[in-house]
C-alpha cells in the first residue's frame, strides 16, 4: 500500500517536471523540470529494487548529463530577448496532447488485457551491483579501460575547445 502511494507521488513529480520543461520559457527552469523528472524516474527504479538502474539514473543522467546541460545554458548566457517568439506554443502543445491521446488509450487497453501476475518485489539478489561489477572487471576490463581513456580524451578536447573560444572572444574585444 505504501509503495503504491510512493509510486503515485513519483509519477506525479515525473509528469509535473515534464510539463514544467515544456511550459517554462526560461531554459534554466526547463532544465530543472527535466532534473525533477529524472530524479522521479530514479525513485521508480528504486521501488522496483533495480539498484543498478537507480544509480545510473542518478549518477549519469541526473548528475553528469544535467550538469553538462546546465553548464551549456550558463555558458551561452541566453537572455529573454534571445529566445524565439512562440505565439502558438500552448495551442501546439494542446494539439500534440490530443494527437497522443488515442495512442495512450491503445497502450492502456493493451496493458489491461495482460494476464494478472504477482508484482511483488523479489527477495533474491536481483538488481545487486556485485555480480555486474565482477563481470565487467573480470571479462570486460579492456573495454572498460578503453572507454575511460576515450572519455578522458573527450574531456580534455572540450576544455581545449572552450579555452580557444574564450581567447578568440577576448582578442576580438581588444
Amino acid at each position: 500500500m505504501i509503495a503504491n502511494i510512493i509510486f503515485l507521488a513519483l509519477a506525479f513529480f515525473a509528469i509535473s517536471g515534464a510539463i514544467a520543461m515544456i511550459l517554462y520559457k526560461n531554459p534554466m527552469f526547463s532544465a530543472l523540470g527535466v532534473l525533477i523528472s529524472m530524479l522521479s524516474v530514479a525513485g521508480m527504479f528504486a521501488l522496483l529494487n533495480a539498484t543498478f538502474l537507480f544509480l545510473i539514473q542518478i549518477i549519469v543522467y541526473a548528475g553528469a548529463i544535467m550538469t553538462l546541460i546546465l553548464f551549456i545554458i550558463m555558458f551561452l548566457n541566453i537572455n529573454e530577448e534571445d529566445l524565439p517568439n512562440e505565439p502558438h506554443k500552448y495551442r501546439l502543445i494542446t494539439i500534440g496532447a490530443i494527437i497522443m491521446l488515442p495512442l495512450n488509450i491503445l497502450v492502456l487497453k493493451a496493458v489491461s488485457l495482460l494476464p494478472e501476475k504477482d508484482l511483488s518485489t523479489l527477495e533474491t539478489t536481483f538488481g545487486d551491483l556485485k555480480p555486474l561489477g565482477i563481470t565487467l572487471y573480470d571479462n570486460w576490463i579492456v573495454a572498460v579501460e578503453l572507454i575511460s581513456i576515450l572519455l578522458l580524451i573527450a574531456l580534455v578536447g572540450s576544455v581545449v575547445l572552450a579555452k580557444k573560444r574564450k581567447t578568440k572572444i577576448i582578442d576580438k574585444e581588444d
Side-chain angles (χ1 to χ4, degrees):
M1 179 66 181
I2 190 80
N4 292 340
I5 294 171
I6 293 172
F7 173 78
L8 289 175
L10 289 171
F12 173 76
F13 284 124
I15 292 170
S16 299
I19 290 171
M21 192 264 319
I22 292 171
L23 294 181
Y24 280 119
K25 190 169 185 173
N26 188 332
M28 197 64 94
F29 292 144
S30 292
L32 290 175
V34 173
L35 181 63
I36 290 170
S37 291
M38 288 182 180
L39 292 175
S40 299
V41 170
M44 290 179 193
F45 284 139
L47 278 179
L48 290 172
N49 202 21
T51 311
F52 178 71
L53 293 176
F54 166 74
L55 290 173
I56 290 297
Q57 185 75 20
I58 294 284
I59 294 169
V60 174
Y61 292 110
I65 303 286
M66 282 309 299
T67 303
L68 180 67
I69 289 172
L70 289 174
F71 277 143
I72 290 170
I73 290 171
M74 289 187 287
F75 183 70
L76 293 176
N77 195 17
I78 300 171
N79 296 322
E80 206 57 44
E81 60 270 2
D82 296 333
L83 296 173
N85 188 16
E86 299 172 312
H88 306 294
K89 177 180 180 179
Y90 297 110
R91 185 178 308 151
L92 291 174
I93 291 172
T94 306
I95 291 170
I98 290 171
I99 290 172
M100 290 302 295
L101 197 58
L103 178 65
N104 290 332
I105 292 170
L106 180 69
V107 169
L108 287 175
K109 279 186 178 181
V111 169
S112 68
L113 295 176
L114 291 174
E116 290 289 324
K117 293 289 182 180
D118 180 26
L119 298 177
S120 60
T121 57
L122 299 173
E123 297 297 328
T124 62
T125 60
F126 175 76
D128 282 349
L129 293 177
K130 188 174 183 178
L132 178 67
I134 290 172
T135 302
L136 275 178
Y137 287 106
D138 280 351
N139 303 335
W140 298 96
I141 187 69
V142 175
V144 169
E145 291 301 323
L146 288 175
I147 289 172
S148 68
I149 292 170
L150 181 68
L151 290 172
L152 179 65
I153 291 169
L155 176 69
V156 170
S158 64
V159 169
V160 168
L161 288 175
K163 194 165 191 143
K164 282 183 182 178
R165 181 174 177 186
K166 186 177 180 182
T167 56
K168 286 181 182 179
I169 292 172
I170 292 172
D171 290 341
K172 287 181 181 179
E173 289 176 359
D174 291 336

